[in-house]
Amino acid sequence: FEFANPRYQALLGDRRLIGLTVREAVPEVIDQGFIELLDTVYSEGRARTGTAVPLRLRDPADGLLKDRFLDFVYEPLRGEFGVVRGIFVQGSDVTDRVQAHAALAANESRYRALAENLPGGAVFIVDPTLRYVMASGEALAGAGVRGADLIGRTVAEFIGPERAPTYELYYRRALAGETFEVTHEDHSRTYLTRGAPLRDA
């Protein structure tokens, strides 16, 4: 390490870096493939990037290894004659983003399980533009609709412009943070619909 800015220093736990090799400064990464990747950038002279790459770092507070996720760039630095003389390293801790996506995926999986085991019912998730991102359940089959047919379509595109305003009103209430409950008729059947905001991490 020849230089490390404060954010990179903090990412690695405010340990000593300058003047040390990567093996000496961050020994816990020896078997995680990063040193081999640095060697490849040196030998091939080509940049390498990574997105949400898992990394185990030792926490200076308790000495335990903690899982983190990084976006990074390894860019070769060349001297006067084009020879690689170093590597510019830029890393961003994206652990919170990865964990939020995992939590959302787990939530959607639970909703799907609920929908598939809800006799005569259905579960929908709509995004802030009122487009369906999930739709599943027996009630769809009863209406002659497949869940896959709804994904990516807006509420208005699915149910038509005449009925859409009523549904959109309730969905926007949920997007604003409220819950709602309404009884309505559809395809000669009566349904009780409950809606609630789906929050991220």
Side-chain angles (χ1 to χ4, degrees), residues 5 36 53 58 65 81 84 104 107 116 139 154 163 166 179 184:
N5 71 358
E36 291 80 0
V53 177
R58 195 167 301 283
L65 290 174
F81 300 104
V84 177
L104 181 59
N107 273 342
E116 290 165 2
T154 65
R163 295 189 300 153
T166 300
T179 60
H184 59 98

Side-chain angles (χ1 to χ4, degrees), residues 15-33:
R15 68 184 81 194
R16 181 189 165 198
L17 299 177
I18 308 306
L20 299 179
T21 66
V22 176
R23 289 178 182 272
E24 293 167 337
V26 201
E28 63 266 38
V29 306
I30 289 176
D31 297 321
Q32 297 185 53

Side-chain angles (χ1 to χ4, degrees), residues 162-174:
E162 293 182 359
R163 295 189 300 153
T166 300
Y167 289 82
E168 290 174 340
L169 175 65
Y170 287 110
Y171 290 162
R172 291 192 189 284
R173 282 176 53 185

Side-chain angles (χ1 to χ4, degrees), residues 17-100:
L17 299 177
I18 308 306
L20 299 179
T21 66
V22 176
R23 289 178 182 272
E24 293 167 337
V26 201
E28 63 266 38
V29 306
I30 289 176
D31 297 321
Q32 297 185 53
F34 292 94
I35 294 175
E36 291 80 0
L37 190 57
L38 287 167
D39 288 340
T40 299
V41 175
Y42 262 114
S43 62
E44 296 183 358
R46 294 192 298 118
R48 292 290 189 274
T49 63
T51 302
V53 177
L55 168 69
R56 304 201 80 198
L57 285 175
R58 195 167 301 283
D59 189 327
D62 56 21
L64 299 177
L65 290 174
K66 303 290 177 66
D67 292 322
R68 310 300 296 171
F69 293 88
L70 298 181
D71 288 352
F72 66 83
V73 176
Y74 289 169
E75 181 77 32
L77 300 175
R78 299 182 183 277
E80 181 180 357
F81 300 104
V83 177
V84 177
R85 63 172 181 81
I87 298 176
F88 170 79
V89 177
Q90 188 273 329
S92 300
D93 188 339
V94 295
T95 304
D96 290 344
R97 184 187 76 195
V98 171
Q99 291 175 342

Side-chain angles (χ1 to χ4, degrees), residues 96-171:
D96 290 344
R97 184 187 76 195
V98 171
Q99 291 175 342
H101 286 176
L104 181 59
N107 273 342
E108 291 185 0
S109 177
R110 285 193 287 269
Y111 280 117
R112 288 185 191 278
L114 171 63
E116 290 165 2
N117 292 281
L118 184 65
V123 171
F124 305 94
I125 297 177
V126 297
D127 69 12
T129 67
L130 299 185
R131 290 186 184 277
Y132 293 97
V133 295
M134 196 204 87
S136 183
E138 283 186 10
L140 294 178
V145 178
R146 296 184 312 142
D149 295 332
L150 273 69
I151 307 305
R153 298 174 65 186
T154 65
V155 173
E157 289 170 341
F158 173 56
I159 65 176
E162 293 182 359
R163 295 189 300 153
T166 300
Y167 289 82
E168 290 174 340
L169 175 65
Y170 287 110
Y171 290 162

